[in-house]
Amino acid sequence: MDDTSKQLLVKALTSFPKYLPTWYNYDEEGSELEDKCTIDNTGYYLRRSQISILESSIQKIIPTVPYDFALVDLGSGSCSKTRYFLDELLLRQKRLTFYPLDISGDFLMKTVEQISSEYEDKLSIIPVAESYENGIEKLRHEDGPKIIVWFGSIINLSYDDQVDKLKLISSLMSESCHLVFSVDITQDRQAVLKAYNDEAGLERKFFQNGVARLNKEEGSEIDLDNFHYKADFISDPSPDYMSYFRAYIEAKEHLKYTIPGLNMTIDFEEGERLYFHEGAGVSCKYTEEQIRNLTARAGLLLTDTWTDDSHHAMFCRCKVMDPEQHLQIEKLT
């Protein structure tokens, strides 16, 4: 882990309240755990709903144009959903340049090896093992029409960070580019808790992977048995925010741990929490009005949406606003 990432980790652990950033979960083991959660957790509706939308609507989600696209996948993971875009685009064009971006370099290269063997010379793959910020900076010189896909990762950021990331993505986009991202639109509290706090404890193990990684890589000895694991769902229908899930551990007593790799010691008072996300919550849920306002704040025009029959997930397609549209939005906000 580079010095900048370590500084962000120290900042998180010395904040009030303390937290572990969501990106810290995504080492190789965490990426594999997330895949396991989405497949083996029977209550986890989001992946099934996303796949349902892709199976029924991928031909509409990718716009019909008289030129070829390149494909950028932000937070590519195992590329299980990306394959729908790869397959559809390769029906329309002879070759495709594909830029998978993921913070877990080891997991990314395993995925690239598998994708390469499946698609062979029809696909030119340029992997980018970076954070969003660094990866987007590297992609900035790649001109031409692009489909940029972002599957679900937006829901794990704080609201301000969502706006900032969308603004950053928009800086890659010309008039011939489209951003396609997916969100969770579920508002049913019981369905959310069943999905993200499952009886088998798969989601809990994923959320707590950041602690396991801290112990393994930075030499701490944080004992999760000394904490209570807790989770809840906060509903917020206001048009300029979102609902969200919270996951955290709570100290059973006063605790003190040294983290040699970060050159620091952390104290927990009895009842003090360590959150597994930045901001108010994680796995955010939206109404369409909330999504429209969110994208507008980032200078993006929401042009089309697709939902599944159960109304759990939504795919959104955006273009950059023209200057006049952007000016109108700025006046309203």
Side-chain angles (χ1 to χ4, degrees):
M1 188 165 60
D2 60 33
D3 289 343
T4 300
S5 297
K6 286 197 172 189
Q7 289 170 10
L8 291 172
L9 197 53
V10 170
K11 177 184 176 183
L13 291 169
T14 53
S15 296
F16 185 80
K18 297 179 176 70
Y19 67 92
L20 284 172
T22 50
W23 56 261
Y24 191 63
N25 266 345
Y26 291 93
D27 58 355
E28 184 177 0
E29 184 174 350
S31 297
E32 290 173 353
L33 278 172
E34 186 191 41
D35 259 10
K36 186 174 178 63
C37 286
T38 61
I39 296 169
D40 295 346
N41 177 2
T42 57
Y44 186 79
Y45 54 79
L46 189 57
R47 182 179 185 276
R48 293 193 301 273
S49 296
Q50 290 172 331
I51 295 298
S52 173
I53 297 169
L54 290 172
E55 287 179 344
S56 64
S57 304
I58 186 61
Q59 292 178 334
K60 297 177 183 177
I61 292 173
I62 299 175
T64 301
V65 295
Y67 45 79
D68 288 353
F69 284 115
L71 181 65
V72 177
D73 186 359
L74 302 176
S76 54
S78 64
C79 288
S80 59
K81 293 182 283 292
T82 316
R83 282 171 169 80
Y84 288 89
F85 285 81
L86 295 174
D87 292 343
E88 179 62 26
L89 284 166
L90 285 170
L91 289 175
R92 304 183 188 188
Q93 52 193 72
K94 292 181 179 179
R95 287 184 55 80
L96 174 64
T97 302
F98 176 42
Y99 301 91
L101 184 155
D102 202 281
I103 197 169
S104 175
D106 292 338
F107 193 73
L108 173 63
M109 296 316 296
K110 283 184 179 180
T111 301
V112 167
E113 184 178 352
Q114 185 176 0
I115 293 285
S116 296
S117 67
E118 291 176 22
Y119 290 89
E120 298 179 337
D121 60 353
K122 292 182 292 185
L123 205 59
S124 174
I125 307 178
I126 305 175
V128 184
E130 296 283 357
S131 65
Y132 289 132
E133 292 83 358
N134 293 341
I136 287 173
E137 190 59 38
K138 285 189 174 183
L139 291 169
R140 199 172 298 284
H141 67 281
E142 303 294 341
D143 296 326
K146 292 184 284 290
I147 297 287
I148 302 169
V149 295
W150 197 20
F151 296 116
S153 299
I154 188 173
I155 69 178
N156 293 325
L157 303 174
S158 68
Y159 189 83
D160 288 343
D161 207 12
Q162 290 174 31
V163 174
D164 289 343
K165 290 293 188 297
L166 287 170
K167 285 181 178 178
L168 188 64
I169 294 167
S170 73
S171 71
L172 283 180
M173 298 171 64
S174 65
E175 290 183 359
S176 58
C177 295
H178 299 264
L179 169 65
V180 176
F181 66 97
S182 60
V183 293
D184 189 334
I185 58 172
T186 307
Q187 304 297 322
D188 183 333
R189 175 181 176 82
Q190 292 307 313
V192 171
L193 291 177
K194 184 179 179 182
Y196 292 97
N197 193 22
D198 59 295
E199 291 183 1
L202 294 173
E203 295 287 341
R204 174 178 178 170
K205 187 174 182 181
F206 168 69
F207 280 120
Q208 293 181 337
N209 181 62
V211 175
R213 182 180 179 184
L214 200 63
N215 287 342
K216 178 175 63 178
E217 295 184 4
E218 308 303 336
S220 57
E221 296 181 355
I222 298 174
D223 185 353
L224 289 169
D225 288 339
N226 291 328
F227 297 83
H228 297 291
Y229 175 80
K230 296 188 176 182
D232 58 12
F233 175 62
I234 309 299
S235 179
D236 189 338
S238 59
D240 294 312
Y241 206 55
M242 71 238 167
S243 302
Y244 51 87
F245 175 80
R246 298 193 303 184
Y248 55 92
I249 52 177
E250 194 172 271
K252 296 178 181 179
E253 58 187 3
H254 178 260
L255 301 167
K256 186 173 185 177
Y257 295 103
T258 300
I259 309 178
L262 300 179
N263 194 29
M264 64 178 295
T265 299
I266 54 172
D267 284 90
F268 291 93
E269 299 299 328
E270 181 179 350
E272 187 176 355
R273 298 173 178 180
L274 173 67
Y275 286 91
F276 295 122
H277 48 76
E278 307 93 320
V282 70
S283 298
C284 302
K285 324 295 174 192
Y286 310 82
T287 64
E288 184 170 342
E289 182 184 20
Q290 289 173 334
I291 288 295
R292 198 170 295 280
N293 290 338
L294 173 65
T295 52
R297 285 176 181 271
L300 291 167
L301 182 66
L302 183 64
T303 57
D304 295 281
T305 62
W306 295 265
T307 60
D308 63 307
D309 291 340
S310 300
H311 293 280
H312 283 314
M314 177 183 286
F315 271 80
C316 307
R317 192 174 71 206
C318 298
K319 294 195 71 174
V320 287
M321 289 181 175
D322 61 43
E324 185 176 342
Q325 290 171 324
H326 205 168
L327 183 60
Q328 289 175 351
I329 292 296
E330 286 182 344
K331 287 180 179 178
L332 292 173
T333 57

